Amino acid sequence: MSPSLEFKGYALTDPSLWSDLKVTAFKPKTFQPEDVEIAITHCGVCGSDVHTLTQGWGESNLPLVVGHEIIGKVTRVGDKVTEFKPGDRVGVGAQIGSCLQCKQCKSDYENYCPDSIDTYNGEYPDGVITHGGYSTAIRAHERFVFPIPDGIESRHAATMLCAGLTVYSPLKTYGAGPGKKIGVVGIGGLGHYAVLWAKAMGAEVYAFTHDKTKIEDIKKMGADHIINTEETDFHKPLALTLDLIISTRDVYSPDTPLSAYLSMLFVHGKFITVGIPDASDPLPQLHPFDFGNGCLLGGSHVGSKKECLEMLELARSKNVRPWIEEMPMRDVKKALEGVKHNKVRYRYVLTQDIN
């Protein structure tokens, strides 16, 4: 272990100043034999960070360091670690722990473990609060550490570990591939990944957006069809057409036309929501009539390690790269407010600069 490795990061200290983060020392995970210690070099900025900092998902532990799209170098490993060694380039995503004993954990569904631990604002069994990647370093059980392929730059790999994995998982689970028609609702950080992955998997992609300023970008991402959801009856020409819709929206209103999206699904097609709004912002009301095509409405929770490794190999082999804006970690306020006000195109990546 490097003797100079300190655990400190840009932390929320006052919820009324949600984007004014102060460099603060924190207590890391208690080091265990299965753990990997990582010196952080990059961290993506996620909508989850904004929801947490603004208290939209409930009260935060304070002080709190957020960030769960983490890339860094291994500095030490526990005695029982088999997969990593010091010097390896690795990543950590939105989940940092689980029981590892339940049926889900033993079936490569550890992301659905009832005792799942979030990478930040969570709590380990011994009471230590989890802190994320706007920081110098992190510790994690090796199950929740991902090797980064040599062919992918750290700045590109970072946002794959939450935004990328969150949409890759349902695309893989529900069979995105040649001959499938995939709809993507909301072309932001997650949505742009959904377009990129679905195209790399060989599917025909329908992108739904209300933002005309993004149309040229969406074409360059490879979408086969772009639908402006501001247009009246935008859904009618696509009735019973799509096999799967991935919705990345994390803001809803009572008049969001959810039934219109369901109507575009082919028989037994699936609408999977991966965006999570504030707790006060539920899905719009639906009626049993809206399921007349036998469609299914569901969700998905980040992704498993198995899926993450598959996703990284897809990115490497197909040369899939996200659209990112890099900035030093000290500019975190600008990045957070850019996400909050939908200015990012399409994901911010912070580079480590804490002395």
Side-chain angles (χ1 to χ4, degrees):
M1 179 181 70
S2 167
S4 62
L5 191 60
E6 297 179 83
F7 289 85
K8 56 185 177 179
Y10 289 90
L12 175 71
T13 57
D14 181 351
S16 68
L17 301 170
W18 70 273
S19 61
D20 290 335
L21 309 184
K22 311 296 183 191
V23 176
T24 307
F26 62 87
K27 183 178 182 179
K29 181 185 191 295
T30 305
F31 196 78
Q32 301 288 340
E34 300 87 3
D35 285 350
V36 177
E37 188 170 88
I38 302 160
I40 294 170
T41 61
H42 298 75
C43 187
V45 179
C46 184
S48 302
D49 304 344
V50 173
H51 286 296
T52 300
L53 294 169
T54 60
Q55 313 301 288
W57 287 349
E59 207 170 299
S60 296
N61 294 288
L62 296 177
L64 179 68
V65 178
V66 301
H68 58 203
E69 297 181 329
I70 300 164
I71 300 290
K73 289 285 182 74
V74 175
T75 57
R76 71 163 168 161
V77 298
D79 295 340
K80 294 184 179 178
V81 170
T82 60
E83 196 175 344
F84 303 101
K85 64 185 185 304
D88 286 351
R89 191 168 58 118
V90 297
V92 174
Q95 183 182 5
I96 206 157
S98 71
C99 77
L100 301 176
Q101 302 300 319
C102 67
K103 183 178 180 181
Q104 293 92 310
C105 286
K106 293 188 173 187
S107 306
D108 286 316
Y109 291 126
E110 71 275 5
N111 44 314
Y112 295 104
C113 174
D115 295 321
S116 174
I117 301 171
D118 292 334
T119 298
Y120 59 76
N121 206 36
E123 186 175 347
Y124 288 108
D126 63 1
V128 173
I129 300 300
T130 62
H131 292 275
Y134 298 180
S135 62
T136 55
I138 195 165
R139 292 172 179 166
H141 188 287
E142 69 172 329
R143 176 74 171 264
F144 300 95
V145 178
F146 312 125
I148 305 301
D150 289 341
I152 307 175
E153 293 181 54
S154 295
R155 64 195 180 108
H156 290 141
T159 62
M160 294 180 187
L161 303 183
C162 175
L165 185 57
T166 294
V167 293
Y168 176 84
S169 178
L171 286 168
K172 178 65 187 295
T173 297
Y174 298 112
K180 293 296 180 75
K181 298 179 187 295
I182 309 296
V184 180
V185 179
I187 313 299
L190 274 69
H192 102 286
Y193 263 120
V195 172
L196 295 172
W197 294 143
K199 283 303 296 179
M201 296 163 96
E204 185 175 354
V205 178
Y206 295 71
F208 295 85
T209 184
H210 67 273
D211 188 344
K212 291 180 181 177
T213 69
K214 294 182 178 179
I215 287 176
E216 288 306 312
D217 286 354
I218 297 168
K219 287 179 184 176
K220 291 174 185 173
M221 290 169 198
D224 300 285
H225 312 276
I226 303 171
I227 298 91
N228 180 0
T229 57
E230 297 286 286
E231 293 180 1
T232 305
D233 296 336
F234 69 88
H235 58 289
K236 288 189 175 177
L238 296 173
L240 291 164
T241 297
L242 305 176
D243 298 291
L244 172 67
I245 296 175
I246 304 290
S247 174
T248 70
R249 290 186 64 148
D250 71 349
V251 176
Y252 285 95
S253 63
D255 60 351
T256 299
L258 193 51
S259 60
Y261 287 105
L262 297 183
S263 75
M264 293 185 283
L265 291 167
F266 184 63
V267 177
H268 299 159
K270 297 168 183 71
F271 182 100
I272 304 298
T273 177
V274 295
I276 304 178
D278 282 349
S280 60
D281 185 8
L283 286 172
Q285 222 171 7
L286 287 168
H287 189 279
F289 282 137
D290 298 325
F291 296 88
N293 53 352
C295 66
L296 301 166
L297 174 65
S300 183
H301 185 240
V302 290
S304 67
K305 183 165 187 171
K306 180 181 178 183
E307 289 169 329
C308 188
L309 299 182
E310 290 174 355
M311 174 196 71
L312 290 169
E313 175 55 24
L314 178 67
R316 187 201 65 78
S317 63
K318 299 284 189 175
N319 199 33
V320 178
R321 299 296 181 264
W323 292 37
I324 61 170
E325 296 180 44
E326 284 183 273
M327 58 183 69
M329 208 168 274
R330 63 179 174 273
D331 289 341
V332 63
K333 178 181 176 72
K334 177 183 174 184
L336 288 167
E337 292 179 356
V339 172
K340 174 77 170 168
H341 301 296
N342 197 28
K343 292 180 179 177
V344 58
R345 296 294 187 269
Y346 285 81
R347 206 71 168 173
Y348 292 122
V349 177
L350 304 175
T351 54
Q352 177 58 256
D353 64 358
I354 300 173
N355 294 321

